[in-house]
Amino acid sequence: MSRWIAGVDGCRAGWIAVLRNIESGDWRFRFVPVLADLVDCEEQPHIIAVDMPTGFLDCAVRGGRACEHAARRLLVGKASSVFPTPCRGALAAATHAEACAINRGSGGGTGLGLSQQAFHLFPKMRELDALLRSRPALAGRIHEAHPELAFMRMNGGHPVLAPKRLPEGQRRRQRLLADHAFAATGRAWTRYRREAGLRRVDAGLDDALDAAAVCRTALLIHRAEATRLPEATDRDSFGLPMAIWY
């Protein structure tokens, strides 16, 4: 078994990962333009927690998958951070209007459109979906996670209400990470971003903090201490799990 785990969050330029050695506790940031680069990297992380859906409904339902409904019930005051994922057919849409039409049509009704925020994530969703479908064994390594659930768990079961893109929200999240063995994430990210030649518009501090948060989720999965939503994993028509871990 690899000594490494990883937490991953999508950013404008690709993906930001936090790799952690489960024996030494050492951790570090890594940027990859495509997710397969992390899967196949030298460290070969045996658990990868990623903030992106790993399975899709064939027909849209109000509020999305069961795991999203469960996550919103926990994230009181932050429920909007869990958006309904599209039906699988909508992923092929080239425009937001087309995606909304496919999503509504699959559910046989109205009111099942998609936000622009969700549509902007379609390339990342397609990338992860293609990776999992082309390499089925990865389903045992890659787990869907959600940063706000991860921070909630670090915060004693209370959602962190301060917005993650504002200074107070970032300071609060950095303090929680420091309390859970990810010290000085802000300084580490600033140093890594400069060394890697990443612009702030390519990947932000909020992306880096989210990656660290779901890396802790990966550690909890490794230790068999993580919680899964829902308790019994749903699977989509391709056998991919539809569950969120935290």
Side-chain angles (χ1 to χ4, degrees):
M1 179 184 293
S2 166
R3 295 176 298 171
W4 294 87
I5 58 169
V8 189
D9 188 61
C11 62
R12 181 173 295 184
W15 303 84
I16 292 296
V18 170
L19 287 155
R20 185 183 182 94
N21 188 300
I22 59 176
E23 295 176 358
S24 69
D26 293 340
W27 63 272
R28 55 179 176 261
F29 287 108
R30 178 172 298 172
F31 166 77
V32 291
V34 295
L35 193 55
D37 290 345
L38 180 72
V39 170
D40 298 325
C41 71
E42 179 182 1
E43 292 85 355
Q44 288 287 297
H46 71 279
I47 293 174
I48 300 170
V50 59
D51 179 21
M52 200 61 60
T54 60
F56 299 89
L57 297 170
D58 289 331
C59 297
V61 298
R62 192 174 300 279
R65 305 168 300 167
C67 55
E68 290 150 8
H69 285 278
R72 289 190 204 99
R73 287 193 291 270
L74 293 174
L75 289 170
V76 178
K78 293 289 288 187
S80 62
S81 68
V82 184
F83 57 83
T85 55
C87 70
R88 179 171 287 283
L91 287 178
T95 66
H96 179 242
E98 182 185 1
C100 287
I102 294 172
N103 212 56
R104 292 191 182 102
S106 75
T110 59
L112 297 173
L114 295 163
S115 68
Q116 283 283 358
Q117 180 185 11
F119 179 70
H120 289 155
L121 292 174
F122 272 28
K124 293 285 192 296
M125 293 184 197
R126 288 192 290 260
E127 181 183 346
L128 176 55
D129 186 59
L131 183 62
L132 289 169
R133 287 171 59 188
S134 64
R135 299 171 60 177
L138 291 178
R141 292 173 60 191
I142 297 177
H143 303 265
E144 181 178 347
H146 196 289
E148 294 302 334
L149 287 172
F151 282 118
M152 180 196 76
R153 181 160 178 165
M154 286 184 256
N155 196 39
H158 304 289
V160 179
L161 301 182
K164 68 179 185 178
R165 290 185 175 86
L166 296 183
E168 175 52 35
Q170 293 175 351
R171 285 192 294 267
R172 178 64 182 148
R173 286 164 173 80
Q174 288 180 69
R175 288 195 295 268
L176 288 170
L177 287 166
D179 289 342
H180 292 84
F182 290 88
T185 46
R187 289 196 298 273
W189 170 246
T190 298
R191 183 171 59 251
Y192 175 79
R193 183 179 59 78
R194 289 172 177 167
E195 291 172 351
L198 291 168
R199 301 172 301 168
R200 286 187 175 88
V201 296
D202 294 328
L205 176 58
D206 56 312
D207 300 317
L209 298 180
D210 282 352
V214 295
C215 185
R216 181 172 186 263
T217 298
L219 183 61
L220 293 173
I221 294 171
H222 165 74
R223 293 173 174 171
E225 296 174 359
T227 298
R228 178 179 61 196
L229 300 176
E231 291 185 6
T233 300
D234 294 334
R235 294 188 179 273
D236 70 6
S237 57
F238 286 91
L240 299 177
M242 296 187 291
I244 300 175
W245 295 79
Y246 71 98

